[in-house]
Amino acid sequence: MDHPGWSVCPEGYFVRALERSEHNALHNLEKAECCKPNSAPEQYGGCYNEHWGMKHEGAYRCKLPNTALAGLERDHNDNLKGIIKAKCCQLPPASISTQEVSPR
């Protein structure tokens, strides 16, 4: 997240956690942990981009059912308001009821 543009998990993986260094700027997001359900294939069922804008406090999540976060796009702002879009992808049908994940 050092520069404007997309930061995404590999195909078939979803964002599980974000790690940041000591400050709150976007460039301090050092890495994302991506994972996928153990039984899931190495591809997404389908994806869409959701406009977030992060202008309000609170939780942000993919709005469509059975979808999860696969990436984020940022603009030139180096704060949370700089996150402008989320890549939301469909979870494979066999994985919706399981909690098992494989870290990447």
Side-chain angles (χ1 to χ4, degrees), residues 10-89:
E11 180 78 16
Y13 286 74
F14 300 91
V15 177
R16 178 178 175 187
L18 297 171
E19 183 179 312
R20 69 174 175 89
S21 55
E22 62 186 78
H23 299 289
N24 293 325
L26 286 180
H27 74 268
N28 294 112
L29 287 174
E30 302 299 339
K31 67 179 180 176
E33 184 176 324
C34 297
C35 64
K36 73 175 195 69
N38 287 334
S39 61
E42 297 281 332
Q43 71 259 4
Y44 298 122
C47 299
Y48 70 98
N49 295 333
E50 196 168 283
H51 294 274
W52 278 5
M54 302 202 81
K55 296 186 184 345
H56 305 286
E57 290 183 21
Y60 286 77
R61 62 182 59 91
C62 295
K63 291 182 176 81
L64 293 181
N66 303 324
T67 59
L69 182 65
L72 296 169
E73 182 183 21
R74 65 163 284 191
D75 65 13
H76 64 279
N77 292 305
D78 197 23
N79 56 39
L80 284 178
K81 292 179 183 176
I83 296 175
I84 55 173
K85 289 183 190 170
K87 178 179 181 178
C88 298
C89 297

